[in-house]
Amino acid sequence: MLFDPGLQPERTELAWRRTALALGVGSLVAVRLLPAVFEQPAWVFVGIVGLIVAAVLWFAARQRYRVVTEVLMHDGDRAVLPGAALIVALVAVVFVSGLAALVVVLLAPMRELT
Amino acid sequence: MFGTGAEPDARFTLANERTFLAWIRTALAFLAGGVALALLGLDLNGELRLAASLVLVVAGIVTPLLAWLGWARAERALRLGKPLPSSLLGPILGVAVSVAGALLLLAILLK
């Protein structure tokens, strides 16, 4: 049964999954690049954490979609939708990734990937 | 979700969420661009290239915070039936891209 002909819940799930993919691709590049650039294997964990978060977002997208459609079916369009916890978590992840990127940029003049 | 106001039309809340996610993807692109610029072995003026990288990365750091703020303010406006607030994100990122591009151009010209 389709609640919304505009397919908003579906589009929102896809938006979360697109975001997970963007994070995943960036993390794969980080896994490949950072240990090589800084000649230090420990840097691989930056990318690995990113991959884990991307996987969590990917599955959370489907879970969130299920919750949203369930709630909309029962409570109509004035429903109480899932809360902001996932949004806050995503902000934190991207912010920390940004700080890591800043470290990389500041240390990079000493090393270069040619 | 919040304590104030009434539950808005679910479609608006979902649209607000998708807008936030779009800004997050934009932030990731800025970070990727800034890091790529720093790491690629390009024959450019070092200081200017670093400056361009920093502009992109700082924009990428600031964007998730402003996106979150914008999402929360829009959600509140929807709940209270008030006009949607304008966001600083567009102008800030527009300026960041232009400044980074100009620095990059100079880095190419002044190597």
Side-chain angles (χ1 to χ4, degrees):
Chain A
M1 201 187 353
L2 196 63
F3 168 78
D4 175 15
L7 297 174
Q8 295 254 351
E10 286 75 12
R11 287 161 58 197
T12 308
E13 183 196 27
L14 288 172
W16 279 103
R17 291 204 148 171
R18 278 203 296 286
T19 310
L21 279 175
L23 191 57
V25 167
S27 300
L28 282 173
V29 171
V31 164
R32 171 73 185 82
L33 224 56
L34 297 182
V37 166
F38 295 109
E39 291 160 6
Q40 170 59 264
W43 275 92
V44 78
F45 287 109
V46 174
I48 288 178
V49 168
L51 282 174
I52 293 173
V53 172
V56 167
L57 286 181
W58 181 267
F59 293 109
R62 174 53 56 90
Q63 174 61 16
R64 200 171 176 83
Y65 169 75
R66 284 207 199 100
V67 170
V68 165
T69 44
E70 190 62 38
V71 166
L72 287 175
M73 295 294 189
H74 285 119
D75 300 342
D77 65 0
R78 293 279 150 178
V80 179
L81 293 182
L86 201 59
I87 286 176
V88 174
L90 185 53
V91 169
V93 165
V94 177
F95 180 73
V96 171
S97 300
L99 296 180
L102 189 59
V103 170
V104 170
V105 167
L106 291 172
L107 293 179
M110 302 188 309
R111 326 285 178 107
E112 261 183 21
L113 182 76
T114 45
Chain B
M1 205 180 303
F2 284 102
T4 54
E7 294 297 332
D9 188 325
R11 288 168 295 180
F12 298 148
T13 288
L14 292 175
N16 190 16
E17 195 164 304
R18 288 198 303 280
T19 304
F20 164 79
L21 293 174
W23 284 118
I24 290 294
R25 289 194 299 279
T26 306
L28 290 172
F30 269 79
L31 294 180
V35 169
L37 190 54
L39 291 183
L40 287 175
L42 300 167
D43 181 21
L44 297 174
N45 180 302
E47 290 82 19
L48 289 168
R49 188 228 294 218
L50 177 63
S53 267
L54 286 174
V55 168
L56 292 174
V57 169
V58 168
I61 289 174
V62 160
T63 294
L65 301 172
L66 290 177
W68 181 24
L69 182 67
W71 172 84
R73 290 173 69 201
E75 196 64 26
R76 186 175 306 275
L78 289 172
R79 298 180 74 90
L80 298 176
K82 294 198 165 160
L84 291 177
S86 58
S87 171
L88 280 175
L89 270 170
I92 287 177
L93 292 188
V95 167
V97 170
S98 296
V99 170
L103 288 170
L104 194 50
L105 183 59
L106 288 174
I108 293 171
L109 295 174
L110 296 177
K111 57 182 173 157

